[in-house]
Amino acid sequence: MKPEEPILCDPEDWANIQKVLAGDFESFEQLVLKYEAMVYSQAKKAFRNEAEAEDFTQDVFLKAFEGLSTFRGKSKFSTWIFSIARNEIIRRYRKEHPEIDAPVDTLSSGKLGDNFSSQESEVLEKETTEKIRSLVDKLPELYRKPISLHYFENMSYKDISENLNLKMNTLKSYIFRGKEILRDWLKKDDEHGKR
């Protein structure tokens, strides 16, 4: 019999993954909180647009969630999620620019934004920001305050947790949940036109 390959995944991550696979979906949030910033920074380099980078980050974690049963622990979870993000960036770029077979180094060096004029990018970003601001205003206060402080006031999680007297995990959970609500609203906006 072949000996089992060792699990190279971080033990805490591996334990959370096993819980998710056993039906405890809340445990996936721990993985999101831990690796969200890494995926987001990669997306920000590629898209140069905060809203798009945030949506992309959510999509990557959704893909990871859907494919979690295929993760065997033969690498770190961060490596696995990073490769999902990278492949997704390449896929999107090729879809938008079929005439270019994008080399990977272009993607990670953040040159994708150059295809838009800076004026177009500014208008697009302004519209997106205004739309998101108006949706954030409709959130329950529990989520609205942390999200506003983090994304519009550029406050760090540490400052917000002190400011609102919240534990770090509670704060991250509020921001995560608030973003999920926003994402659902934006998705419905796309499906049904304007709210």
Side-chain angles (χ1 to χ4, degrees):
M1 218 171 92
K2 237 170 73 168
E4 279 287 301
E5 281 187 57
I7 301 296
L8 301 175
C9 182
D10 173 79
E12 190 187 329
D13 291 351
W14 187 245
N16 279 323
I17 290 163
Q18 298 317 303
K19 284 183 199 166
V20 176
L21 293 174
D24 172 14
F25 302 134
E26 290 289 310
S27 293
F28 192 71
E29 201 170 303
Q30 299 304 315
L31 296 166
V32 174
L33 292 173
K34 192 169 174 184
Y35 296 109
E36 192 175 30
M38 178 193 80
V39 174
Y40 177 76
S41 74
Q42 187 69 5
K44 189 88 191 297
K45 280 183 202 168
F47 301 115
R48 292 190 177 175
N49 173 314
E50 283 185 20
E52 201 177 340
E54 278 175 34
D55 284 348
F56 177 82
T57 303
Q58 297 290 341
D59 289 347
V60 167
F61 279 101
L62 189 64
K63 272 192 181 324
F65 180 77
E66 288 166 352
L68 201 58
S69 60
T70 65
F71 179 68
R72 299 277 175 250
K74 306 299 180 233
S75 68
K76 289 182 176 177
F77 183 75
S78 58
T79 308
W80 186 67
I81 198 106
F82 188 84
S83 69
I84 292 174
R86 204 188 67 186
N87 291 340
E88 190 60 16
I89 288 169
I90 293 169
R91 192 187 67 74
R92 285 189 187 198
Y93 189 66
R94 285 186 177 149
K95 192 177 167 190
E96 285 169 29
H97 307 280
E99 74 284 0
I100 302 168
D101 208 26
V104 176
D105 60 335
T106 312
L107 299 166
S108 55
S109 64
K111 290 177 189 151
L112 301 193
D114 298 345
N115 297 303
F116 291 107
S117 75
S118 59
Q119 206 172 4
E120 280 174 325
S121 297
E122 275 171 39
V123 169
L124 216 83
E125 210 162 309
K126 192 161 182 265
E127 277 176 15
T128 310
T129 305
E130 279 169 12
K131 184 177 181 181
I132 288 174
R133 267 185 197 271
S134 74
L135 289 176
V136 167
D137 288 342
K138 294 176 189 168
L139 282 172
E141 189 167 346
L142 198 65
Y143 308 134
R144 188 177 70 236
K145 273 196 159 172
I147 283 184
S148 295
L149 291 171
H150 185 58
Y151 290 103
F152 303 135
E153 308 297 325
N154 290 323
M155 280 174 74
S156 68
Y157 280 6
K158 185 174 178 288
D159 290 343
I160 299 168
S161 74
E162 286 168 9
N163 200 295
L164 299 180
N165 199 18
L166 288 171
K167 286 185 178 153
M168 187 63 81
N169 278 349
T170 308
L171 169 67
K172 286 179 176 176
S173 180
Y174 285 171
I175 288 177
F176 177 77
R177 295 220 184 290
K179 277 176 16 188
E180 284 206 312
I181 295 168
L182 287 173
R183 198 171 79 244
D184 286 345
W185 287 348
L186 286 165
K187 203 167 151 190
K188 284 181 184 132
D189 261 7
D190 288 344
E191 287 166 7
H192 308 297
K194 299 276 174 245
R195 275 175 77 84

